[in-house]
Amino acid sequence: MAAAMRPSSSPYPLPPPPTCSSRLPQLRSFVGLRWSAPRVQVRRQLDAVAGIGSGARGCGGRFRAPASSASQPCYSSIVIRNDNSQNADFPRNYSKREKKPFPIPVLELRRRARQRMKEAEGKPRGPPPPPKNGLLVQRLIPEAYRVYNARILLINNLKRLMKVVPVKGCKYCSEIHVGSVGHPFRTCRGMSSDKRKGEHDWGSTFVEAVFLPVEAYHLEDRLGPRIPHDQRFEVPRIPALVELCIQAGLDLPEYPTKRRRKPIVKIGRKEFVDANEDDLPDPEPDKFKEPILEEVPDDEITPPSSPEETAALAEETLEVWETLRNGALRLMKRYSVRVCGYCPEVHIGASGHKARNCGAFKHQQRNGQHGWQAAVLDDLIPPRYVWHMPESGELQKELKIFYGQAPAVVEICIQGGAKVPEKYKATMRLDIGIPSSLKEAEMVV
């Protein structure tokens, strides 16, 4: 007769069943020698592990619980995430022999156009919204004043900061460096660079090298005909950011522009006439008008008197820089900005001008005409990246791959005492350990 089954009397206790985790911690932020600050999320699972012999998964589906006579509850799982990447590539420098990529691929633009035509099929076409109908977007008029004042305040603050934070510029190329001594990298491509073996000849520079002036034609009527080639010298050129603010509602006496009070009347696909405004009362004073700042001359600039004042000025400049870029981006979403795909020429308007002054690669085949496409924020406000100075305060050309970069305005503010913004830490590579010598750098895998 078979003996009755008795429980095992092993002296070693059985291991506890594994807890059920719906997701493993994502350690994609661990790059280099440090780990950026994580964000901890706690998610509670309400499911339970399947019963005996079912072979079913646990509540998360990653681990299989062993068969047991009782179901095991799911414990809380901790998921570690990081929204800001620790290390990011520098912005790509496009060659002069290639065209800039479209912000949205052409295939995607065609797909969206087909989708719009399919949705509008059989429906009456409604009137175009502002600013396509000639009117202003009322909610963006205060934004235009804020962007213009932020631009003036940024220039004034940079002039003051550059009195205490040295900025060097190469005498033969357009490269700049924020520091008392220029960087040692042989990246000069200017005149006689082969004789100097690519070394820069550093000297003093101006605020225009830090905050690049991008100019565009001023249009008295943004819906008027395109500027022909013969009239390219008759139309004034002003900063492109100022022209964008003017078209968005900024009123400057020195740059008059046409303001419509009624929507335009279309008589063709590209032809229209202005509506009759004689029955309208006299225009009232603009309720959105705000005080306008003025740029301070160079001979009236006073440097900060103390380190505390320098740090406060750097923090203010960094806030103005973010206000300027965020405000300009909001304006660009409603008012068209065009850029040439071959050169840095910018035009504020739905259609680019007809001036044949493009001298980029293979301009002879295009007869000097620009290849207009939609612009991005960096086309209107170039960030002008420079090398970030490490804590040691010295750059070594052998350790170039370990150093990060930041926009020149941001680097000036950081060296002035401002706190490093989170959005720029990825390209600045603050969490990457820099070797102390070349021998240590060769050991890095």
Side-chain angles (χ1 to χ4, degrees):
M1 185 176 181
M5 298 294 293
R6 284 184 285 183
S8 174
S9 59
S10 173
Y12 303 101
L14 295 176
T19 59
C20 179
S21 175
S22 64
R23 194 174 298 176
L24 288 176
Q26 301 179 4
L27 302 182
R28 57 189 176 187
S29 300
F30 187 71
V31 181
L33 304 180
R34 296 183 185 177
W35 191 10
S36 56
R39 180 169 62 95
V40 179
Q41 291 184 348
V42 179
R43 295 187 177 182
R44 298 187 177 276
Q45 307 293 339
L46 303 179
D47 301 336
V49 182
I52 303 176
S54 62
R57 291 188 171 196
C59 59
R62 274 182 198 245
F63 302 102
R64 290 182 179 271
S68 60
S69 59
S71 61
Q72 299 292 335
C74 288
Y75 299 97
S76 302
S77 60
I78 298 178
V79 179
I80 302 177
R81 289 185 179 179
N82 190 5
D83 293 337
N84 300 320
S85 59
Q86 182 201 27
N87 187 9
D89 296 333
F90 303 146
R92 178 185 173 187
N93 293 326
Y94 294 97
S95 173
K96 295 182 179 179
R97 296 191 174 187
E98 60 179 330
K99 190 176 182 295
K100 301 174 187 175
F102 290 93
I104 303 177
V106 178
L107 296 179
E108 178 65 18
L109 293 176
R110 292 175 180 175
R111 188 196 65 80
R112 294 182 183 181
R114 290 193 299 266
Q115 183 68 19
R116 288 195 301 266
M117 293 177 61
K118 184 177 180 180
E119 294 177 354
E121 186 177 359
K123 298 180 181 179
R125 180 176 296 180
K132 295 182 179 180
N133 60 358
L135 303 181
L136 296 175
V137 183
Q138 297 296 321
R139 61 181 178 85
L140 291 181
I141 297 179
E143 191 69 36
Y145 280 90
R146 283 194 293 268
V147 171
Y148 180 81
N149 287 334
R151 175 184 174 274
I152 298 298
L153 185 59
L154 177 65
I155 294 176
N156 294 337
N157 289 358
L158 284 177
K159 289 181 179 179
R160 296 187 60 191
L161 281 176
M162 291 176 65
K163 295 286 187 180
V164 293
V165 179
V167 180
K168 300 296 182 180
C170 182
K171 299 179 182 179
Y172 298 98
C173 68
S174 60
E175 193 163 348
I176 62 175
H177 179 73
V178 181
S180 57
V181 181
H183 64 73
F185 308 131
R186 300 172 180 263
T187 55
C188 184
R189 296 296 180 268
M191 184 179 60
S192 303
S193 60
D194 53 343
K195 298 180 181 179
R196 292 177 282 106
K197 297 182 180 181
E199 290 187 356
H200 295 278
D201 189 359
W202 299 106
S204 59
T205 186
F206 303 97
V207 69
E208 288 79 12
V210 177
F211 185 63
L212 296 179
V214 179
E215 293 187 346
Y217 285 109
H218 170 60
L219 304 179
E220 295 185 0
D221 185 5
R222 58 185 175 88
L223 297 183
R226 300 170 65 182
I227 301 174
H229 178 72
D230 300 335
Q231 299 180 6
R232 64 187 184 280
F233 298 119
E234 301 176 6
V235 181
R237 292 180 65 86
I238 62 176
L241 194 59
V242 177
E243 175 64 18
L244 178 61
C245 296
I246 291 176
Q247 294 190 16
L250 174 67
D251 290 330
L252 295 179
E254 59 270 24
Y255 301 115
T257 184
K258 186 175 183 178
R259 304 294 188 194
R260 293 178 175 86
R261 303 166 62 191
K262 280 187 176 182
I264 59 176
V265 180
K266 281 202 168 187
I267 58 177
R269 183 179 179 183
K270 294 185 178 180
E271 298 179 358
F272 67 91
V273 293
D274 293 333
N276 187 10
E277 300 180 357
D278 296 338
D279 56 338
L280 296 179
D282 295 336
E284 299 179 357
D286 191 1
K287 61 180 180 180
F288 299 105
K289 193 171 184 180
E290 298 181 4
I292 297 177
L293 301 179
E294 295 183 359
E295 187 174 339
V296 181
D298 295 341
D299 54 353
E300 299 180 6
I301 295 296
T302 57
S305 58
S306 62
E308 292 77 11
E309 185 180 356
T310 303
L313 182 62
E315 290 285 353
E316 180 186 4
T317 306
L318 203 55
E319 294 178 1
V320 171
W321 169 255
E322 295 298 330
T323 302
L324 178 69
R325 290 182 62 87
N326 296 336
L329 183 60
R330 283 190 287 268
L331 295 180
M332 291 177 64
K333 291 181 179 180
R334 297 302 301 270
Y335 294 89
S336 300
V337 180
R338 315 291 289 179
V339 66
C340 179
Y342 303 94
C343 70
E345 179 73 10
V346 173
H347 180 79
I348 312 298
S351 301
H353 58 76
K354 295 183 178 180
R356 299 188 298 269
N357 52 8
C358 182
F361 182 64
K362 291 187 178 180
H363 63 90
Q364 300 88 348
Q365 299 181 3
R366 294 176 278 108
N367 196 18
Q369 296 181 356
H370 295 279
W372 297 111
Q373 64 185 43
V376 296
L377 182 61
D378 289 348
D379 296 325
L380 185 65
I381 308 176
R384 194 64 190 277
Y385 278 80
V386 296
W387 293 102
H388 172 62
M389 294 295 294
E391 296 180 357
S392 60
E394 182 181 0
L395 296 174
Q396 302 181 29
K397 58 182 179 180
E398 295 84 4
L399 307 177
K400 182 179 179 181
I401 60 175
F402 297 95
Y403 299 127
Q405 291 185 356
V409 176
V410 178
E411 181 66 19
I412 291 175
C413 296
I414 292 174
Q415 294 193 21
K419 185 180 178 181
V420 181
E422 290 289 338
K423 61 185 298 186
Y424 298 108
K425 287 184 177 180
T427 55
M428 294 173 67
R429 298 181 177 178
L430 298 181
D431 295 331
I432 302 299
I434 301 177
S436 58
S437 62
L438 182 59
K439 182 178 180 180
E440 184 180 352
E442 294 175 352
M443 300 172 59
V444 178
V445 179

